[in-house]
Amino acid sequence: MLAAKKQVEFVTDASNLNLIAPPTEEVIYPYRRVWRSIWLETGVLFVLVLGIVFGTAFFAIPQDQWLLFDIALGVAPLVLWAIFSWVAEQRVPQPRTRMLAVITLSALVANGVGYPLINNVLQVEGWVTRGSVTEQLLVYIFAYGVLQEVLKYLVLRHTIWATHVRVRYELVAYAAAGAVAYAAVWNFHIILENNPPPAVIAILVFVTNAQ
C-alpha cells in the first residue's frame, strides 16, 4: 500500500514537471518605437510653448530680440526630432536609413513648391479675404490641407516606397520626419517675413507641428 502511494506521488510530480514551459529567448523589437518619440517631442514642445507664452506675459522681450527668439522657436521642433527620433534611431538594431533623405527633400519641396504655390501662384490669402465663410473654409481645406499633404505624400513615394517599408510603422516614422521639416520651412518663412512676437510664433510652431 505504501509503495503504491509513493508511485502515485512520483507520477503526480512527473506530470507537474511536464507543465513547466521551457525557457524562451527574449525577442528584441529591432525598430525604434515611433509613437513614443512623437509623444516625447510633442510633450516637450508643448511645455516649451507654455513657458514662452506665460513668460512673455510677465517679462516683456525687447522687440529687437524678437527675431532671435523666433528663430530659436522655429528650430526647436527639428532639435527635438534630432534628440528623440534621430539619436534613438541610431541605437536600435535595425535603424531606418532614409530619414535624412526624407527630411532634406521635404524641406526642399516645402520651400520650392509648397510655400510659393500657396502664396505666390494661387495667392490663397487674396481668395480668403474676398470669399464667404464657406468659400474660405473650402480654400483652407484644399490649400493648407489637401495640397500640402499630397506634396508630403509624393516625397515619401519618391524616397521610401516599397523598398524601405518593412512594417507599417515605417510610414509613420518617415511621415513624421517629413512633416517636421515641412513645418519648419513654413514657420521660417512667416518668421523672416513678419517678425512677430515670440508668443505668437510659439503658438504657431506648436499648432503647425501638431497638425
Side-chain angles (χ1 to χ4, degrees), residues 97-114:
T97 58
R98 302 287 289 173
M99 283 292 183
L100 293 182
V102 171
I103 282 275
T104 303
L105 189 57
S106 296
L108 292 174
V109 169
N111 188 63
V113 181

Side-chain angles (χ1 to χ4, degrees), residues 14 48 94 139 163 166 172 183 191 195 209:
L48 177 62
Q94 297 185 32
V139 167
T163 56
R166 298 165 294 187
V172 178
I191 290 170
N195 191 25
N209 283 271

Side-chain angles (χ1 to χ4, degrees), residues 52 55-67 69 73 197-199:
I52 292 293
T56 54
F58 296 99
F59 304 98
I61 299 175
Q63 188 169 355
D64 59 352
Q65 298 180 13
W66 283 4
L67 183 60
F69 277 87
L73 288 168

